[in-house]
Amino acid sequence: IRIAALLGEAKFHKSKVQAAEILDRYKKIDLVMQECVTIANPMQKMIVSDKIDKVLLHPLWGNLVLLVVLFLLFQSIFLLASYPMDWVEAGFAFLGGQLNNILPAGIFRDLLVNGFLAGISGILVFVPQIMILFGLITVLEDSGYMARISFLTDRIMRTAGLNGRSVMPL
């Protein structure tokens, strides 16, 4: 009771002391943050993006960059996919050779080796190219360049009754 009376005489309020302590703590945190953390200026990021867009969306340079990117895309697909394609072809050739040696000559062997196995081989040999193509298109999409391609080619594609997004499927 005596403590409560003394607190009343001194006009001590626990919530005011706690609030002052919290405010002092945040002032110290702000000082440490100012010394240790640098916050990037969002306007600076926009400036860099605008500079990139000036080149990539330019009527002349943008189209040249687009042609170079598409050329490199398709050349890399054929270069990178040649090894797995050769492996698939070699695997099916080996399997076909083994089946030719194991199975007796006749219509069933011809159907299996020259029909079914050759058909499956002809389809599966293109899977590495398709996988690499989709991987590289994903990289272009994630980098934001696909939206720029769509914007850049929209006017050209409108003459064919399409929009710019139909460039990559073509």
Side-chain angles (χ1 to χ4, degrees):
I1 297 178
R2 180 172 166 104
I3 293 175
L6 287 173
L7 289 175
E9 286 177 21
K11 295 183 180 176
F12 178 78
H13 297 289
K14 184 171 76 170
S15 59
K16 285 184 181 180
V17 172
Q18 287 175 342
E21 181 184 350
I22 290 171
L23 290 175
D24 287 340
R25 188 178 305 143
Y26 276 110
K27 285 179 185 175
K28 289 179 184 177
I29 290 172
D30 283 340
L31 289 174
V32 171
M33 290 285 288
Q34 287 175 2
E35 292 177 8
C36 299
V37 177
T38 57
I39 299 172
N41 184 0
M43 290 305 292
Q44 185 68 24
K45 288 182 181 177
M46 289 182 69
I47 291 172
V48 172
S49 178
D50 289 343
K51 288 179 181 178
I52 292 171
D53 282 344
K54 280 186 181 180
V55 174
L56 295 180
L57 298 177
H58 189 271
L60 174 65
W61 301 116
N63 285 319
L64 288 175
V65 170
L66 172 63
L67 291 175
V68 168
V69 166
L70 291 179
F71 176 77
L72 291 175
L73 176 84
F74 287 111
Q75 288 301 316
S76 63
I77 288 169
F78 292 118
L79 177 72
L80 295 173
S82 65
Y83 299 109
M85 288 173 66
D86 291 342
W87 298 335
V88 170
E89 285 179 351
F92 276 101
F94 175 76
L95 185 60
Q98 291 299 319
L99 287 176
N100 264 336
N101 292 336
I102 294 172
L103 296 174
I107 193 167
F108 178 70
R109 183 177 79 176
D110 289 340
L111 176 67
L112 188 63
V113 173
N114 297 331
F116 181 73
L117 201 60
I120 296 296
S121 170
I123 293 170
L124 292 182
V125 76
F126 290 106
V127 170
Q129 285 183 340
I130 294 168
M131 289 173 51
I132 292 170
L133 173 67
F134 277 96
L136 293 176
I137 286 176
T138 302
V139 169
L140 289 177
E141 182 73 41
D142 289 344
S143 70
Y145 191 61
M146 289 292 283
R148 289 175 174 93
I149 290 173
S150 297
F151 178 79
L152 194 62
T153 59
D154 191 54
R155 187 179 329 145
I156 297 168
M157 297 305 288
R158 291 236 182 248
T159 60
L162 301 170
N163 61 23
R165 290 178 291 179
S166 24
V167 165
M168 287 314 285
L170 287 176

